[in-house]
Amino acid sequence: MRVIQLMSKLNFSEEIFSQNYKTYVASFSDFFDEKAKQNGLTNHAIRLYIRWFSKENEAIIKKYLKAEDFDPLVKNLNQILKEKDEERFANGTILVGSLGDLDPELLPKFNDCIPLLLEICKDKTGLWRKNAGILVAKLAKHPANLDIFRKFHGIEILSSVSQFILGNK
C-alpha cells in the first residue's frame, strides 16, 4: 500500500514509465477489487493515474500505450462512477476526463454512464454535481455520445449545471 501511496505523489517521468509501463497497465485491474477499495489502494491508484495520464504527458503515454491498453481501466472506471463513494467518484470523473483529453476515442466507452451522470447533475449538490457536470460536458463533445444526450435531455441539464459550476445559480 505504501508504494502506491508514494507513487501517487511522484511526478511523472518517462524514464520510470518506459521501464515499467507493462506493470502499470497490469495495475489497471489490480487496484480495483473490493479489498483494494477497502484498503484505500483504489483511491491512491486513481490519483496516480490522474497525475500520469494528464495532457502534458500525452506524447510519452501515446509512445508506449495504445487505446486498447486502457480497456481494463475503462471497465473499472465505469464501475467507480456507479459507486456511492464521493471521493472515488470525484477522482474517477477527473480521470475519465483526463483519458478523454489524451484520446477522445475513449469517451464513447463511458456512454453507459451518461444517464447516471445526468441524474447526478439533476439530483445531487456540491462536488457530486460539479464533477458530474464537468464530465458530462467532456463526454458531450464526442459525436458518438450525442444521441444519448438528446434522449436524456442532456443539453438542458448541462445548461443548468454550467450555471451552477460558474456560480450563476
Side-chain angles (χ1 to χ4, degrees):
M1 179 164 159
R2 290 280 182 219
V3 172
I4 192 73
Q5 188 175 13
L6 290 171
M7 287 181 68
S8 70
K9 309 241 185 279
L10 291 176
N11 286 326
F12 181 85
S13 156
E14 181 174 7
E15 181 181 348
I16 293 171
F17 190 78
S18 66
Q19 294 170 6
N20 299 299
Y21 71 93
K22 289 182 182 178
T23 303
Y24 300 132
V25 170
S27 76
F28 293 167
S29 294
D30 294 345
F31 296 118
F32 290 88
D33 63 16
E34 271 318 302
K35 187 174 180 183
K37 288 175 186 176
Q38 290 171 359
N39 292 332
L41 290 175
T42 304
N43 295 342
H44 292 303
I46 292 172
R47 283 192 293 273
L48 170 69
Y49 300 145
I50 289 170
R51 289 182 65 113
W52 283 21
F53 300 139
S54 66
K55 192 74 171 158
E56 67 188 37
N57 300 324
E58 179 178 11
I60 298 166
I61 298 299
K62 286 185 173 183
K63 182 175 171 182
Y64 295 99
L65 300 178
K66 299 179 282 309
E68 58 268 14
D69 291 330
F70 290 101
D71 285 348
L73 183 58
V74 167
K75 178 183 173 216
N76 285 308
L77 285 171
N78 272 299
Q79 290 303 312
I80 293 290
L81 295 179
K82 296 173 185 168
E83 291 181 5
K84 304 290 184 221
D85 184 284
E86 186 174 15
E87 179 184 357
R88 269 198 300 271
F89 175 82
N91 287 330
T93 60
I94 293 167
L95 181 53
V96 170
S98 294
L99 292 174
D101 290 341
L102 280 177
D103 187 350
E105 292 310 309
L106 291 172
L107 292 174
K109 294 182 178 192
F110 295 97
N111 64 10
D112 288 344
C113 290
I114 292 171
L116 174 65
L117 291 167
L118 291 171
E119 277 299 311
I120 290 170
C121 289
K122 285 191 317 190
D123 298 338
K124 297 269 187 177
T125 58
L127 287 177
W128 283 96
R129 186 175 191 199
K130 182 177 181 179
N131 285 307
I134 292 168
L135 181 55
V136 162
K138 287 186 178 200
L139 292 171
K141 290 180 183 179
H142 198 284
N145 292 335
L146 288 180
D147 285 340
I148 298 169
F149 277 97
R150 287 187 191 107
K151 180 179 177 182
F152 291 96
H153 308 285
I155 305 303
E156 296 87 356
I157 295 168
L158 190 55
S159 175
S160 72
V161 172
S162 68
Q163 294 173 7
F164 168 76
I165 292 171
L166 297 173
N168 297 332
K169 207 170 194 185

